[in-house]
Amino acid sequence: MKRMIGYALCAMGGMVSMAFASLETLPFKGDALPGGVSCRGALVDGARWKDASGEHIVILCQTGSFKSPAGGREDERDAEVYAHRYARAGKSWRRAWTVRDFERNCPLDLHAAFLPGSLTVTDLDGNGIAEVTFLYRLACRGDVSPSRMKLIMYEGMRKYALRGVTTMPPEFAFGQRGEMTPDPAFKKAPRAFLEYATARWKAFEIEKSFEQN
C-alpha cells in the first residue's frame, strides 16, 4: 500500500512528502550537497531518493528580487526560480532536467517563489520510476490581484504541467476565482497523475499572502 510520509530537511524548515511503491528515501542535506549539484539563488527545498532508474536529487532554488539588467528603468526588478533534478552517474552527478521561470522588469511588488511544502516525490502508477511535483507563483502587481501559479510534474524525463492563476481570499469581495488549465501531456499519462496534480493545485490555490518577495 502506498503511504505518505514527511521528514524534516536538514538545515531547512520545509517538508517533503514521499509516496512509496519501490522508492527508497535517502537523507537530503541542504547544507552539504554533493559536488556538481548546485543552482542559482537560495536553496529552499529538496529531496533525495533511489528508484528503478538509480539515485536522484531534486533541488528548488529562487533568487529573490534583483535589479533588472541595464537598459530598463531604474526601479525595475527581476526574480527567478530554478528546479533541477540530478542523477547519479558513478561517483559524479549529471543534471537530468531544469525548470526555469521568472518575472522580468517589474516596477511594482515582485514575487517569484516556490510554495513551501509543495514538493513531493511519488510513484503513483507503481512502475518504479518516481514522479517529482512542485508548485510556484509569479507576480508583478501593485494591488491584490491574483498571481500566476504553475504546477510542474516530472516522471523521468516526461513533463506535465498545470497553469493558471490563484484564488483570492474570501475577505476580498472583489476577488476572483482562480483558474487552471492542464497540459495536453496529461492525456497520455495515467489517470492518477492528473487526479493527484489537481488535488495538489487545490491545496495551494488560495492566495494567503501579498508580501513582496
Side-chain angles (χ1 to χ4, degrees):
M1 177 182 295
K2 298 182 179 71
R3 59 192 178 91
M4 300 296 294
I5 70 168
Y7 64 90
L9 296 175
C10 177
M12 296 185 188
M15 297 294 292
V16 174
S17 296
M18 289 202 175
F20 284 84
S22 57
L23 306 185
E24 178 186 354
T25 310
L26 300 174
F28 176 80
K29 298 182 179 180
D31 57 350
L33 295 174
V37 176
S38 64
C39 69
R40 184 183 179 195
L43 175 63
V44 295
D45 216 340
R48 186 169 181 169
W49 72 95
K50 283 184 179 179
D51 63 15
S53 65
E55 185 175 346
H56 308 271
I57 289 176
V58 63
I59 53 176
L60 306 182
C61 303
Q62 57 199 44
T63 64
S65 66
F66 58 92
K67 190 177 184 308
S68 299
R73 291 166 42 180
E74 182 62 30
D75 62 346
E76 290 180 340
R77 311 286 292 179
D78 291 3
E80 301 173 341
V81 294
Y82 294 86
H84 304 294
R85 178 174 68 82
Y86 289 84
R88 188 163 194 163
K91 295 183 179 180
S92 62
W93 293 84
R94 61 175 180 80
R95 189 176 293 178
W97 50 252
T98 294
V99 173
R100 174 176 176 257
D101 213 335
F102 49 81
E103 279 287 348
R104 292 278 188 259
N105 305 111
C106 179
L108 303 172
D109 291 338
L110 174 64
H111 185 78
F114 293 99
L115 295 175
S118 71
L119 175 62
T120 62
V121 180
T122 57
D123 187 9
L124 300 169
D125 55 356
N127 68 351
I129 304 298
E131 306 98 27
V132 177
T133 305
F134 52 86
L135 294 97
Y136 61 90
R137 291 179 184 157
L138 303 169
C140 175
R141 58 193 178 188
D143 54 19
V144 290
S145 57
S147 300
R148 290 185 291 137
M149 189 164 78
K150 299 184 183 182
L151 176 147
I152 304 297
M153 174 187 284
Y154 266 95
E155 184 190 45
M157 298 300 294
R158 292 188 294 273
K159 180 182 177 182
Y160 308 91
L162 303 179
R163 298 178 176 89
V165 297
T166 56
T167 294
M168 305 307 292
E171 60 265 29
F172 293 99
F174 56 89
Q176 62 189 76
R177 290 292 305 173
E179 57 185 40
M180 173 269 288
T181 301
D183 192 286
F186 276 110
K187 294 180 180 180
K188 298 181 179 180
R191 181 177 178 179
F193 284 19
L194 182 55
E195 291 176 347
Y196 180 77
T198 300
R200 294 298 288 168
W201 180 279
K202 290 181 178 179
F204 291 93
E205 68 178 345
I206 298 177
E207 188 106 17
K208 297 180 181 178
S209 169
F210 304 102
E211 296 179 0
Q212 184 174 350
N213 185 41

